[in-house]
Amino acid sequence: MSQGRLYRSYLYVPASDEHKVEKALESGADCVVLDLEDAVVPSEKDHARQVAADVLMGGNRSRPIFVRLNAPGSTLLEQDLELIAPLSPAGVRLPKVESPEMVREVGCEFECRGAHNTKIQCLIESALGLERVFEIARAHPLVAGMGLGEVDLAADLGVSDERGLIYARSRVVCASRAAGLPGPVGSVYTNVRDEEGLRNSTLVLKALGFVGRSAIHPRQVKVINDVFTPDAEEIRKAKEVIKRIERAEALGSGAFALPDGSFVDRAVVEAARSKLELARLSGGGEL
């Protein structure tokens, strides 16, 4: 599987609204997601697709640009791929994924059109997709991450609050890591005025193993970035782990113990490297 870069925040913006697209590109989000799917009414799909193409061709890459495509199995997706794939966005989000075959078809389209560096994030939005999440995560070499579309998933499962999503969240975390992918990206928090609720919900996602979260409004970005930015003590510990593994490897060992007696192996080292990668996004200090 492909290991993509880690980002703390992904800001969705309807690609049909040029003004909002410009605002999103100027925001503090680590990554902007040009949405061709849910945020765009059918009559605006062609316009949204062209705006996304213009942004990608315009070279405005001050931050990575992803595109959320339309759902597999639709003529809309075919039109998306024809225009967007040759432009090699940093990544695409494939919604409503329910089988590995859906992912393989899209991955092959990107490869055939020369977009070998475009990463695919798969969104699980149904019970069927959740049952197949591990196979989906391993479906194609361009798959670089997973995520949940929790509004649709909750409706499909018949759950009414976040407690009903604990199993789904943990399962997609486990499947992602088992497939060699980073922790998944958290779904959106729909109440854009509830900053405290967003922070608490994002802290829960981080504790469960998610790395980063999607936003639907620029005002949500700072909270998400704050939660996923390692603090000074986390950075110190991560740097110490990296320093000691380098020393241990020079002596022919792949594991060691920290001064407090805790044992460190490859998984702990990988987690330390992920923390340092997220810390670099904040632009704060030498790492």
Side-chain angles (χ1 to χ4, degrees):
M1 296 298 100
S2 174
Q3 281 282 8
R5 286 191 59 187
L6 299 180
Y7 303 109
R8 300 164 300 174
S9 54
Y10 297 77
L11 177 58
Y12 276 120
V13 59
S16 55
D17 190 324
E18 292 99 325
H19 177 69
K20 288 183 178 178
V21 169
E22 287 301 318
K23 289 292 185 183
L25 292 172
E26 296 168 0
S27 73
D30 291 341
C31 183
V32 171
V33 184
L34 304 178
D35 194 358
L36 303 181
E37 194 215 10
D38 283 349
V40 180
V41 298
S43 62
E44 289 291 309
K45 295 287 187 181
D46 287 341
H47 175 62
R49 196 176 291 118
Q50 189 57 57
V51 171
D54 290 344
V55 171
L56 293 170
M57 288 188 293
N60 186 341
R61 304 298 178 96
S62 57
R63 63 196 70 251
I65 297 172
F66 277 52
V67 179
R68 178 159 72 168
L69 305 171
N70 284 286
S74 67
T75 56
L76 290 172
L77 176 59
E78 294 173 7
Q79 294 166 2
D80 293 345
L81 292 172
E82 184 176 353
L83 187 60
I84 300 300
L87 301 177
S88 298
V92 294
R93 287 192 163 179
L94 189 61
K96 299 177 175 61
V97 178
E98 293 189 325
S99 72
E101 290 75 22
M102 289 178 172
V103 183
R104 282 193 281 270
E105 289 176 9
V106 172
C108 290
E109 280 289 328
F110 275 92
E111 287 185 328
C112 289
R113 297 174 188 272
H116 300 288
N117 295 319
T118 295
K119 308 303 182 184
I120 298 175
Q121 289 181 347
C122 301
L123 299 183
I124 304 299
E125 305 186 57
S126 68
L128 181 57
L130 189 64
E131 283 299 301
R132 296 171 171 170
V133 63
F134 179 56
E135 289 75 17
I136 289 169
R138 298 193 305 166
H140 193 276
L142 290 182
V143 174
M146 305 293 292
L148 290 174
E150 291 187 348
V151 173
D152 284 355
L153 180 60
D156 194 33
L157 296 175
V159 303
S160 57
D161 62 31
E162 290 193 353
R163 291 174 297 175
L165 294 170
I166 292 173
Y167 167 75
R169 289 172 169 179
S170 292
R171 180 157 183 178
V172 78
V173 168
C174 184
S176 296
R177 300 301 297 130
L181 300 176
V185 178
S187 188
V188 300
Y189 189 81
T190 55
N191 188 341
V192 299
R193 293 184 175 87
D194 183 9
E195 183 175 313
E196 182 179 0
L198 170 63
R199 183 177 297 277
N200 291 336
S201 173
T202 306
L203 285 167
V204 169
L205 288 177
K206 181 180 179 180
L208 287 172
F210 283 74
V211 180
R213 185 170 202 173
S214 299
I216 54 174
H217 193 283
R219 73 175 61 164
Q220 296 179 315
V221 168
K222 184 180 185 305
V223 172
I224 293 171
N225 283 350
D226 286 348
V227 170
F228 283 106
T229 299
D231 61 28
E233 181 62 13
E234 289 177 302
I235 293 171
R236 186 193 67 76
K237 288 182 177 179
K239 291 168 71 174
E240 178 68 15
V241 166
I242 299 302
K243 185 186 300 182
R244 285 179 173 265
I245 191 62
E246 290 173 349
R247 204 175 294 158
E249 287 176 341
L251 297 173
S253 174
F256 59 93
L258 291 172
D260 63 4
S262 56
F263 184 74
V264 174
D265 61 9
R266 229 357 116 177
V268 177
V269 173
E270 186 177 336
R273 287 184 172 135
S274 294
K275 279 188 171 62
L276 293 182
E277 184 174 349
L278 291 171
R280 289 187 184 94
L281 292 169
S282 69
E286 287 295 322
L287 298 178

